[in-house]
């Protein structure tokens, strides 16, 4: 702050002028508060427009995902949680390849879901859309939680899912570091459950948008805190702990809602709790992220007798 006397010589008190640094800090504070609401508002707007205007969900979903990725990448530069977690050029190349694999896996899963929904979904949904979407979100979130937790507990599935835990950084770009079969199995299983229960295409589409938003948001390297909403929704604060090398704190298998972590005892976050380091407790158990071919073939390799999984 700088103080200036009244130029007329009167007895007026000091006038405070904010410095550029203070203005920048205030702007970042506003951005931290607005970042998540803006993201959710965009998801609602795109979902509503798609349903009301008859846009093709198969085209909207990937375009919206790219938009979310660009938005969060910009926020990582403006309000980073850990500046050292920014990807370097080499990592961007790796992550780009994995992102393509993830998109292929997602597209295959979506094709299965779209076909199944078209076959088994009732012509007239049992519930109005306003009630069907929350029901689909809860059931889909529970299925996602169980599949994710099983991916950590089952040695065979861990050989697929563990690929995602190899990086020693958590950022929006390496949210796409996955084995393509892990994406196909996880997303396909969850959405097929919704389809066979009988939820409409519209509700499955809207839930899919929300899950995509949450997946990239929770992985973003941004200094955003959502306060009490942490007990309902997943957040970057929780997901960094999920990637912790300390298994005692690495819960948080819900990547969209956090209610199931509370219910099943895997909720470990508290205000201010942060992981000391992220990645694998046994880095040698998986190929490095840059070893893309070895990573894809890793599930076929003979397992080590002491192969560890993150339970």
């Amino acid at each position: 702050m700088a103080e200036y006397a009244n130029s007329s010589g009167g007895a007026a008190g000091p006038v405070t002028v904010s410095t550029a640094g203070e203005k920048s800090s205030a702007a970042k504070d506003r951005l931290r508060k607005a970042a998540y609401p803006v993201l959710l508002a965009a998801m609602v707007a795109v979902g509503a427009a798609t349903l009301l205007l008859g846009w093709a969900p198969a085209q909207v979903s990937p375009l919206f995902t790219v938009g979310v990725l660009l938005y969060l990448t910009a926020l990582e530069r403006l309000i980073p949680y850990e500046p050292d977690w920014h990807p370097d050029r080499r990592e961007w190349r790796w992550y780009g390849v994995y992102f393509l694999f993830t998109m292929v896996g997602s597209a295959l899963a979506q094709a299965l879901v779209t076909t199944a929904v078209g076959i088994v979904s009732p012509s007239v949904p049992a519930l109005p859309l306003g009630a069907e979407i929350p029901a689909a979100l809860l059931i889909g979130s529970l299925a996602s939680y169980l599949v994710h937790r099983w991916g950590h507990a089952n040695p065979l599935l861990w050989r697929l899912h563990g690929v995602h835990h190899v990086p020693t950084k958590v950022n929006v770009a390496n949210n796409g570091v996955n084995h393509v079969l892990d994406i196909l199995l996880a997303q396909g299983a969850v959405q097929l459950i919704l389809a066979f229960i009988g939820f409409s295409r519209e509700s499955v589409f809207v839930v899919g948008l929300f899950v995509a938003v949450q997946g990239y948001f929770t992985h973003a390297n941004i200094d955003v805190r959502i306060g009490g909403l942490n007990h309902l929704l997943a957040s970057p604060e929780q997901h960094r702990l999920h990637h912790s090398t300390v298994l005692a704190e690495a819960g948080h298998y819900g990547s969209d809602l956090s209610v199931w972590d509370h219910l099943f005892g895997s909720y470990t976050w508290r205000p201010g709790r942060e992981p000391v380091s992220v990645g694998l407790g046994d880095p040698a158990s998986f190929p490095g992220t840059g070893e893309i071919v070895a990573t894809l073939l890793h599930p076929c390799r003979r397992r080590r007798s002491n192969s560890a999984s993150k339970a």
Side-chain angles (χ1 to χ4, degrees), residues 290-310:
E291 301 173 64
I292 296 173
V293 174
T295 294
L296 292 175
L297 297 176
H298 178 71
C300 303
R301 296 169 58 191
R302 188 171 60 184
R303 283 179 289 172
R304 288 167 37 185
S305 60
N306 62 341
S307 178
S309 67
K310 291 180 68 172

Side-chain angles (χ1 to χ4, degrees), residues 24-293:
S24 176
S25 178
K28 288 182 178 180
D29 285 341
R30 290 193 293 269
L31 186 57
R32 290 185 185 99
K33 293 176 181 177
Y36 188 43
V38 166
L39 186 60
L40 291 180
M43 184 273 297
V44 172
V46 170
T50 302
L51 298 181
L52 295 174
L53 301 177
W55 295 347
Q59 297 175 8
V60 171
S61 293
L63 289 175
F64 183 65
T65 298
V66 171
V68 169
L69 180 59
L70 293 175
Y71 171 70
L72 292 172
T73 299
L75 289 180
E76 287 189 332
R77 291 293 174 177
L78 295 171
I79 47 172
Y81 164 77
E82 176 52 74
D84 289 342
W85 284 358
H86 290 319
D88 57 31
R89 290 184 180 181
R90 182 180 56 176
E91 289 169 330
W92 270 116
R93 290 196 295 269
W94 299 342
Y95 297 163
V97 174
Y98 282 104
F99 179 74
L100 292 177
F101 288 153
T102 296
M103 294 299 285
V104 168
S106 297
L108 291 173
Q110 188 61 51
L112 291 174
V113 170
T114 300
T115 301
V117 170
I119 295 172
V120 304
S121 290
S123 56
V124 179
L127 297 173
L129 194 60
E132 192 183 21
I133 289 174
L137 175 59
L138 281 174
I139 294 174
S141 176
L142 174 59
S144 177
Y145 173 92
L146 295 174
V147 169
H148 189 184
R149 190 160 186 171
W150 193 25
H152 281 258
N154 180 277
L156 180 59
L157 293 180
W158 172 248
R159 288 171 68 79
L160 296 175
H161 183 65
V163 169
H164 180 67
H165 286 265
V166 172
T168 56
K169 305 174 180 179
V170 179
N171 53 52
V172 70
N174 64 28
N175 181 52
V177 175
N178 302 287
H179 196 287
V180 65
L181 292 180
D182 186 38
I183 293 296
L184 178 60
L185 290 172
Q187 292 191 10
V190 171
Q191 294 190 48
L192 283 172
I193 288 171
L194 295 178
F196 282 106
I197 288 175
F199 287 109
S200 67
R201 297 185 183 189
E202 292 80 5
S203 63
V204 173
F205 164 71
V206 172
V207 169
L209 279 186
F210 176 73
V211 169
V213 165
Q214 282 293 101
Y216 281 101
F217 170 68
T218 58
H219 228 267
N221 177 30
I222 54 177
D223 187 17
V224 169
R225 294 170 176 80
I226 66 173
L229 282 176
N230 273 292
H231 298 290
L232 173 64
L233 300 169
S235 75
E237 300 168 85
Q238 301 168 28
H239 199 69
R240 292 180 197 117
L241 287 174
H242 175 69
H243 281 263
S244 174
T245 56
V246 180
L247 298 187
E249 65 183 10
H252 301 288
Y253 301 101
S255 56
D256 40 38
L257 303 180
S258 59
V259 292
W260 307 116
D261 285 292
H262 272 300
L263 184 62
F264 295 111
S266 52
Y267 190 95
T268 68
W269 179 80
R270 61 175 181 271
R273 187 173 193 176
E274 301 175 346
V276 175
S277 61
V278 298
L280 293 174
D282 178 13
S285 62
F286 278 82
T289 300
E291 301 173 64
I292 296 173
V293 174

